[in-house]
């Protein structure tokens, strides 16, 4: 059978020479080029682990001359970072083996049952498990950084109850509630839109619009983007919140200006036409007919003046409306 040619670095913490050579033989049976280092005591292992060398796996005997048992496991775990630790022992205490696994060791193997295949499988499993855990921690770290460093309010709430599970610093700053206050609330307590409750909001995919109540009593308009995820073993919703209050006011102001401009355009095209038509008609009538018994020059002057005043009033009205639009 072909040996594994990965250059494993293995630290064996074992004070018994016979047990060490047996474990070494098992490793060499499955691995082509392992680098094997031995520590015969806890103090020796401590010095080795203080170096910059990274080991793929640590094989740990629980009965060392200067430390043993649970205390030994705890101390070794303190000095490693993500390196899988496989306990090798002659003790068959099941409760202690379970306790060892709960402390963070990768596996617990009895020396009497040990062989090359069992040891190799345990090492491969431990390395893969450690790699997965490290990737998970790195992923969680990236999530935390993206979550808490986001300049926009973000939070995680439980899908069934809409209670807050986590909030970022931007949400705390923007809404005025501290993190502990958020965790004692639900999304419904922020929502003030009578037409839309939290359940309605979350029934749609994409961006939803609603109104939220800040701690100081101010009501803001918000858009919310929702993503479902698993958080602390719960089905949860990650929400990114955008305050659109000022943008909405700006849009409403533009819409109001557009309405006024339409009104001005209508005045210009309709209201101005009436007095202007009167003026043009009177002038044309005077040029064609001139004075008559019913329409003297004074009558023409009087009607022209009335039409001019009417036109002046319309122009002033347009001017006032134009000023209001420009404010």
């Amino acid at each position: 059978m072909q040996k594994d040619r990965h250059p494993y670095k293995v630290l064996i913490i074992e004070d018994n020479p016979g047990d060490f050579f047996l474990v070494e033989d098992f490793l060499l049976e499955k691995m082509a080029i392992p680098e094997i280092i031995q520590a015969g005591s806890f103090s020796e292992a401590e010095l080795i682990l203080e170096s910059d060398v990274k080991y793929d796996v640590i094989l740990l005997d629980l009965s060392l001359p200067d430390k043993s048992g649970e205390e030994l496991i705890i101390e070794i775990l303190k000095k490693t970072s993500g390196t899988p630790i496989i306990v090798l022992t002659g003790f068959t205490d099941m409760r202690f083996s379970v306790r060892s696994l709960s402390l963070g060791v990768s596996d617990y193997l009895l020396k009497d049952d040990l062989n090359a295949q069992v040891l190799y499988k345990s090492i491969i499993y431990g390395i893969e498990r450690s790699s997965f855990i490290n990737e998970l921690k790195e992923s969680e770290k990236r999530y935390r950084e993206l979550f808490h460093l986001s300049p926009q309010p973000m939070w995680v709430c439980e899908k069934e109850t809409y209670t807050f599970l986590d909030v970022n610093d931007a949400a705390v700053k923007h809404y005025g509630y501290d993190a502990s206050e958020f965790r004692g609330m639900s999304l419904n307590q922020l929502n003030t839109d009578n037409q839309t409750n939290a359940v309605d909001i979350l029934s749609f995919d994409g961006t939803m619009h609603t109104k939220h109540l800040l701690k100081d009593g101010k009501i803001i308009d918000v858009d919310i983007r929702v993503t479902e995820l698993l958080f602390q073993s719960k089905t949860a919703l990650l929400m990114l919140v955008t305050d659109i209050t000022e943008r909405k006011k700006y849009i409403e102001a533009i819409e109001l200006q557009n309405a006024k401009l339409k009104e001005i355009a209508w005045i210009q095209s309709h209201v101005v036409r009436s007095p202007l038509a009167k003026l043009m008609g009177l002038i044309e009538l005077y040029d064609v007919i001139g004075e008559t018994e019913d329409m003297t020059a004074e009558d023409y002057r009087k009607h022209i003046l009335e039409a001019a005043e009417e036109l002046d009033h319309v122009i002033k009205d347009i001017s006032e409306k134009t000023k209001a639009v420009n404010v």
Side-chain angles (χ1 to χ4, degrees), residues 74-102:
I74 292 171
E75 291 301 320
I76 291 295
L77 285 168
K78 286 180 181 179
K79 301 184 182 304
T80 59
S81 177
T83 304
I85 299 171
I86 298 173
V87 169
L88 304 178
T89 181
F91 300 109
T92 58
D93 188 336
M94 181 58 68
R95 284 184 299 177
F96 185 76
S97 67
V98 174
R99 172 63 178 161
S100 299
L101 294 171
S102 69

Short mmCIF file of all heavy atoms in Angstrom, two decimals, residues 74-102:
data_model
loop_
_atom_site.label_atom_id
_atom_site.label_comp_id
_atom_site.label_asym_id
_atom_site.label_seq_id
_atom_site.Cartn_x
_atom_site.Cartn_y
_atom_site.Cartn_z
N ILE A 74 -5.25 20.53 29.86
CA ILE A 74 -5.58 21.97 29.88
C ILE A 74 -4.35 22.81 29.56
O ILE A 74 -4.42 23.77 28.77
CB ILE A 74 -6.18 22.36 31.25
CG1 ILE A 74 -7.56 21.70 31.43
CG2 ILE A 74 -6.28 23.88 31.38
CD1 ILE A 74 -8.13 21.84 32.82
N GLU A 75 -3.21 22.46 30.15
CA GLU A 75 -2.00 23.24 29.94
C GLU A 75 -1.49 23.12 28.50
O GLU A 75 -1.01 24.10 27.92
CB GLU A 75 -0.91 22.80 30.94
CG GLU A 75 -1.21 23.17 32.37
CD GLU A 75 -1.36 24.67 32.56
OE1 GLU A 75 -0.60 25.44 31.94
OE2 GLU A 75 -2.26 25.08 33.31
N ILE A 76 -1.57 21.92 27.94
CA ILE A 76 -1.13 21.74 26.55
C ILE A 76 -2.06 22.51 25.60
O ILE A 76 -1.60 23.15 24.64
CB ILE A 76 -1.11 20.24 26.17
CG1 ILE A 76 0.01 19.52 26.94
CG2 ILE A 76 -0.91 20.06 24.66
CD1 ILE A 76 1.41 19.96 26.58
N LEU A 77 -3.36 22.47 25.86
CA LEU A 77 -4.31 23.21 25.03
C LEU A 77 -4.03 24.71 25.05
O LEU A 77 -4.21 25.40 24.04
CB LEU A 77 -5.74 22.94 25.49
CG LEU A 77 -6.34 21.58 25.11
CD1 LEU A 77 -7.63 21.32 25.87
CD2 LEU A 77 -6.59 21.50 23.60
N LYS A 78 -3.60 25.21 26.20
CA LYS A 78 -3.29 26.63 26.32
C LYS A 78 -2.14 27.04 25.41
O LYS A 78 -2.06 28.18 24.95
CB LYS A 78 -2.93 26.98 27.77
CG LYS A 78 -4.10 27.03 28.71
CD LYS A 78 -3.61 27.37 30.11
CE LYS A 78 -4.75 27.40 31.13
NZ LYS A 78 -4.25 27.71 32.49
N LYS A 79 -1.24 26.09 25.14
CA LYS A 79 -0.02 26.40 24.40
C LYS A 79 -0.11 26.04 22.93
O LYS A 79 0.86 26.14 22.19
CB LYS A 79 1.17 25.69 25.05
CG LYS A 79 1.35 26.11 26.50
CD LYS A 79 2.56 25.50 27.14
CE LYS A 79 2.64 25.93 28.62
NZ LYS A 79 2.63 27.39 28.77
N THR A 80 -1.28 25.60 22.50
CA THR A 80 -1.48 25.28 21.08
C THR A 80 -2.64 26.13 20.55
O THR A 80 -3.50 26.57 21.30
CB THR A 80 -1.82 23.80 20.89
OG1 THR A 80 -3.00 23.47 21.63
CG2 THR A 80 -0.68 22.92 21.38
N SER A 81 -2.63 26.33 19.26
CA SER A 81 -3.69 27.14 18.65
C SER A 81 -4.22 26.40 17.42
O SER A 81 -3.68 26.53 16.33
CB SER A 81 -3.15 28.51 18.26
OG SER A 81 -4.13 29.27 17.61
N GLY A 82 -5.27 25.62 17.64
CA GLY A 82 -5.88 24.91 16.53
C GLY A 82 -5.20 23.63 16.13
O GLY A 82 -5.64 22.98 15.18
N THR A 83 -4.12 23.24 16.81
CA THR A 83 -3.45 21.99 16.48
C THR A 83 -4.21 20.83 17.11
O THR A 83 -4.46 20.84 18.32
CB THR A 83 -2.00 21.98 17.00
OG1 THR A 83 -1.32 23.11 16.47
CG2 THR A 83 -1.28 20.71 16.60
N PRO A 84 -4.58 19.80 16.33
CA PRO A 84 -5.29 18.67 16.92
C PRO A 84 -4.42 17.90 17.92
O PRO A 84 -3.24 17.66 17.65
CB PRO A 84 -5.65 17.80 15.71
CG PRO A 84 -4.71 18.21 14.63
CD PRO A 84 -4.40 19.65 14.88
N ILE A 85 -5.02 17.55 19.05
CA ILE A 85 -4.32 16.80 20.09
C ILE A 85 -5.01 15.46 20.26
O ILE A 85 -6.21 15.41 20.53
CB ILE A 85 -4.32 17.58 21.42
CG1 ILE A 85 -3.59 18.92 21.26
CG2 ILE A 85 -3.68 16.75 22.53
CD1 ILE A 85 -3.73 19.84 22.44
N ILE A 86 -4.24 14.38 20.11
CA ILE A 86 -4.77 13.03 20.29
C ILE A 86 -4.17 12.44 21.56
O ILE A 86 -2.95 12.35 21.69
CB ILE A 86 -4.44 12.13 19.08
CG1 ILE A 86 -5.09 12.71 17.81
CG2 ILE A 86 -4.92 10.70 19.32
CD1 ILE A 86 -4.70 12.01 16.54
N VAL A 87 -5.04 12.10 22.48
CA VAL A 87 -4.59 11.53 23.75
C VAL A 87 -4.33 10.03 23.57
O VAL A 87 -5.17 9.30 23.03
CB VAL A 87 -5.64 11.76 24.85
CG1 VAL A 87 -5.30 10.94 26.10
CG2 VAL A 87 -5.73 13.24 25.19
N LEU A 88 -3.14 9.57 24.01
CA LEU A 88 -2.78 8.15 24.01
C LEU A 88 -2.60 7.72 25.46
O LEU A 88 -1.76 8.28 26.16
CB LEU A 88 -1.49 7.91 23.23
CG LEU A 88 -1.46 8.41 21.78
CD1 LEU A 88 -0.10 8.15 21.15
CD2 LEU A 88 -2.55 7.74 20.96
N THR A 89 -3.38 6.78 25.92
CA THR A 89 -3.33 6.41 27.33
C THR A 89 -3.62 4.93 27.53
O THR A 89 -4.20 4.27 26.66
CB THR A 89 -4.36 7.25 28.13
OG1 THR A 89 -4.29 6.91 29.51
CG2 THR A 89 -5.76 7.00 27.62
N GLY A 90 -3.20 4.44 28.69
CA GLY A 90 -3.48 3.06 29.06
C GLY A 90 -4.69 2.96 29.95
O GLY A 90 -5.14 1.86 30.29
N PHE A 91 -5.28 4.12 30.32
CA PHE A 91 -6.44 4.13 31.21
C PHE A 91 -7.74 3.98 30.41
O PHE A 91 -7.92 4.64 29.39
CB PHE A 91 -6.49 5.41 32.03
CG PHE A 91 -5.27 5.62 32.89
CD1 PHE A 91 -4.34 6.61 32.59
CD2 PHE A 91 -5.04 4.80 34.00
CE1 PHE A 91 -3.22 6.79 33.38
CE2 PHE A 91 -3.91 4.98 34.78
CZ PHE A 91 -2.99 5.97 34.47
N THR A 92 -8.62 3.14 30.91
CA THR A 92 -9.89 2.87 30.20
C THR A 92 -11.08 3.55 30.88
O THR A 92 -12.18 3.04 30.87
CB THR A 92 -10.14 1.35 30.12
OG1 THR A 92 -10.17 0.83 31.46
CG2 THR A 92 -9.07 0.65 29.31
N ASP A 93 -10.83 4.69 31.48
CA ASP A 93 -11.89 5.44 32.16
C ASP A 93 -12.75 6.17 31.13
O ASP A 93 -12.33 7.17 30.55
CB ASP A 93 -11.26 6.44 33.14
CG ASP A 93 -12.30 7.11 34.03
OD1 ASP A 93 -13.47 7.17 33.64
OD2 ASP A 93 -11.92 7.57 35.12
N MET A 94 -13.97 5.67 30.89
CA MET A 94 -14.84 6.24 29.87
C MET A 94 -15.25 7.67 30.20
O MET A 94 -15.30 8.54 29.32
CB MET A 94 -16.09 5.36 29.70
CG MET A 94 -17.06 5.88 28.62
SD MET A 94 -16.29 6.02 26.99
CE MET A 94 -16.05 4.27 26.63
N ARG A 95 -15.55 7.91 31.49
CA ARG A 95 -15.96 9.26 31.87
C ARG A 95 -14.85 10.26 31.63
O ARG A 95 -15.09 11.38 31.19
CB ARG A 95 -16.39 9.28 33.34
CG ARG A 95 -17.77 8.67 33.60
CD ARG A 95 -18.19 8.82 35.04
NE ARG A 95 -17.26 8.15 35.94
CZ ARG A 95 -17.36 8.17 37.27
NH1 ARG A 95 -18.34 8.85 37.85
NH2 ARG A 95 -16.48 7.54 38.02
N PHE A 96 -13.61 9.84 31.90
CA PHE A 96 -12.49 10.75 31.67
C PHE A 96 -12.26 10.97 30.18
O PHE A 96 -11.88 12.07 29.76
CB PHE A 96 -11.22 10.22 32.32
CG PHE A 96 -10.07 11.18 32.22
CD1 PHE A 96 -10.01 12.29 33.04
CD2 PHE A 96 -9.06 10.99 31.27
CE1 PHE A 96 -8.96 13.20 32.94
CE2 PHE A 96 -8.03 11.90 31.16
CZ PHE A 96 -7.97 13.01 32.00
N SER A 97 -12.48 9.94 29.37
CA SER A 97 -12.31 10.10 27.93
C SER A 97 -13.32 11.12 27.38
O SER A 97 -12.98 11.96 26.54
CB SER A 97 -12.47 8.76 27.22
OG SER A 97 -13.79 8.28 27.31
N VAL A 98 -14.56 11.04 27.87
CA VAL A 98 -15.58 12.01 27.45
C VAL A 98 -15.21 13.41 27.91
O VAL A 98 -15.34 14.39 27.17
CB VAL A 98 -16.96 11.61 28.01
CG1 VAL A 98 -18.00 12.69 27.71
CG2 VAL A 98 -17.41 10.28 27.42
N ARG A 99 -14.72 13.48 29.15
CA ARG A 99 -14.29 14.76 29.70
C ARG A 99 -13.14 15.35 28.87
O ARG A 99 -13.11 16.55 28.59
CB ARG A 99 -13.85 14.57 31.15
CG ARG A 99 -13.19 15.77 31.81
CD ARG A 99 -14.13 16.95 31.91
NE ARG A 99 -13.50 18.07 32.59
CZ ARG A 99 -13.93 19.32 32.51
NH1 ARG A 99 -15.00 19.61 31.77
NH2 ARG A 99 -13.31 20.28 33.15
N SER A 100 -12.22 14.51 28.43
CA SER A 100 -11.08 14.96 27.63
C SER A 100 -11.55 15.56 26.31
O SER A 100 -11.08 16.61 25.87
CB SER A 100 -10.13 13.79 27.35
OG SER A 100 -9.63 13.26 28.55
N LEU A 101 -12.51 14.89 25.68
CA LEU A 101 -13.04 15.39 24.41
C LEU A 101 -13.76 16.72 24.60
O LEU A 101 -13.69 17.60 23.74
CB LEU A 101 -13.98 14.35 23.80
CG LEU A 101 -13.32 13.04 23.35
CD1 LEU A 101 -14.39 12.02 22.96
CD2 LEU A 101 -12.38 13.27 22.19
N SER A 102 -14.45 16.84 25.74
CA SER A 102 -15.15 18.10 26.00
C SER A 102 -14.18 19.24 26.27
O SER A 102 -14.52 20.40 26.04
CB SER A 102 -16.10 17.93 27.20
OG SER A 102 -15.38 17.76 28.40
#
